[in-house]
Amino acid sequence: MKSLEEAITVRNQILFHFERALCETDPEKRKRMLTFVVIGGGPTGVEFTGALAELIRGPLSRDYPALDFKEVRLILLEATGHLLPGLPERLQVYAKDRLLKMGVDVRLGAMVTRITPESVSLKDGTVIFLQTVIWTAGVHGAPPAGTTVLPILPNGQVNVLPTLQVPGHPEIYVIGDLAHHEENGQSMGMVATVAVQEGETAARNILRQINRQAPVPFHYHDLGTLAVIGRNAAAVHLLGRNFTGFFAWLLWLGVHIYRLIGFRNRLLVLVNWAWDYLFFERGVRLIVPLPKEH
């Protein structure tokens, strides 16, 4: 789920199966329609699962009073032994406990071996029958088609020098999800904060090249990680300190609004978020048609 159209497709899929479940008399088929699996317990998976849990238990439960919402299953699968890898243990435990309270079936150490349109198979032999799977466990890079000079790795990323230049081609810079760069033996995460800092370094290096100066290597400054878990709850690791609950949620809001460009954008987002928070905007539950290729 990397674009607005893909997000709308996922939303349509979820709402469509609630509509179908209303008319389905076979309990097994209805159970599959109302089973939703999210794969990946990183910040994206935790945030998506929390938002979906609130949508199901809140607005959708009122929109579909004829459905028995005890049949609805929301399952989060994480291959490792904890959610939010890389964050302090306190935040990992908080995220799991919060999702459990929201009715999410959190399964740790659940490695997925096979996905079909009708099921998800786990390494331990468990098979979950369903009709909706959301993948949040990472993506491949998408290098330009027909490129032969780029050292593309099996995962689709381009191997770059510490200066973010392509080996043998100092005129080419690669940043963001497409760039494979390691610091202290670890590859950089495919997250926005890394891409933003890489973009700033690449811009400085281009100016240095124009001025006939040597490019400087990229060094990532980890300011922290924020993950919202529904309304009024978040897990935040910021500037070496940990925060949870409502205050962490306010920090999450403040940081995201601050990172927007321009006062007008910040004000519009703040007003829209406040409206949605107070009144539960109903437009999000519309099934919107997409172009025919989708």
Side-chain angles (χ1 to χ4, degrees):
M1 191 170 63
K2 297 286 287 182
S3 68
L4 180 59
E5 284 192 352
E6 290 172 348
I8 293 175
T9 300
V10 172
R11 183 187 66 180
N12 285 352
Q13 168 84 359
I14 294 169
L15 297 179
F16 176 68
H17 283 301
F18 273 93
E19 294 284 343
R20 288 185 60 197
L22 280 174
C23 306
E24 182 56 63
T25 57
D26 186 325
E28 286 302 317
K29 291 183 179 179
R30 188 168 61 247
K31 182 179 179 181
R32 290 198 295 269
M33 292 175 185
L34 297 176
T35 297
F36 305 94
V37 167
V38 180
I39 302 175
T44 301
V46 168
E47 290 190 346
F48 183 90
T49 304
L52 182 54
E54 288 200 330
L55 180 66
I56 291 173
R57 306 301 173 187
L60 292 184
S61 65
R62 295 192 293 270
D63 288 350
Y64 300 97
L67 283 177
D68 181 5
F69 273 74
K70 293 180 181 179
E71 295 182 331
V72 180
R73 294 194 302 163
L74 177 54
I75 304 171
L76 175 60
L77 303 178
E78 168 56 37
T80 67
H82 47 262
L83 301 178
L84 301 177
L87 290 187
E89 183 180 358
R90 175 194 167 197
L91 299 184
Q92 296 172 349
V93 173
Y94 172 80
K96 179 184 177 182
D97 291 344
R98 175 70 180 178
L99 289 174
L100 290 173
K101 290 179 180 178
M102 298 172 73
V104 178
D105 180 2
V106 180
R107 303 188 187 184
L108 303 179
M111 182 174 293
V112 176
T113 58
R114 178 178 171 84
I115 301 174
T116 73
E118 293 83 25
S119 67
V120 168
S121 301
L122 306 183
K123 188 175 181 180
D124 63 4
T126 302
V127 178
I128 304 171
F129 295 98
L130 43 67
Q131 292 186 2
T132 303
V133 182
I134 299 97
W135 179 272
T136 67
V139 297
H140 283 180
T147 302
T148 59
V149 300
L150 299 179
I152 300 175
L153 301 175
N155 67 353
Q157 289 185 305
V158 177
N159 203 20
V160 297
L161 298 172
T163 56
L164 304 178
Q165 294 167 295
V166 174
H169 293 273
E171 75 282 5
I172 302 177
Y173 287 84
V174 180
I175 64 172
D177 290 357
L178 192 56
H180 176 80
H181 169 65
E182 294 186 357
E183 283 192 8
N184 301 320
Q186 293 187 339
S187 61
M188 295 290 95
M190 301 170 76
V191 294
T193 52
V194 173
V196 169
Q197 292 185 32
E198 286 178 340
E200 293 171 348
T201 298
R204 285 196 296 268
N205 281 343
I206 291 171
L207 292 176
R208 290 179 67 88
Q209 283 185 291
I210 293 173
N211 294 323
R212 301 183 182 279
Q213 296 175 309
V216 298
F218 169 72
H219 295 291
Y220 177 55
H221 301 286
D222 186 5
L223 301 178
T225 303
L226 305 91
V228 66
I229 315 171
R231 292 162 62 93
N232 303 330
V236 173
H237 180 67
L238 190 63
L239 300 176
R241 300 186 62 184
N242 301 324
F243 305 93
T244 59
F246 182 70
F247 181 70
W249 182 74
L250 291 177
L251 281 176
W252 181 89
L253 290 177
V255 169
H256 280 73
I257 291 176
Y258 173 77
R259 297 295 295 181
L260 295 175
I261 298 175
F263 175 78
R264 180 179 179 181
N265 287 335
R266 294 169 185 159
L267 181 61
L268 288 175
V269 170
L270 180 61
V271 170
N272 287 333
W273 281 1
W275 182 271
D276 292 345
Y277 179 81
L278 294 174
F279 301 107
F280 287 97
E281 179 60 52
R282 297 186 64 85
V284 299
R285 273 117 60 207
L286 297 176
I287 298 178
V288 181
L290 288 169
K292 291 183 178 180
E293 58 267 24
H294 292 275

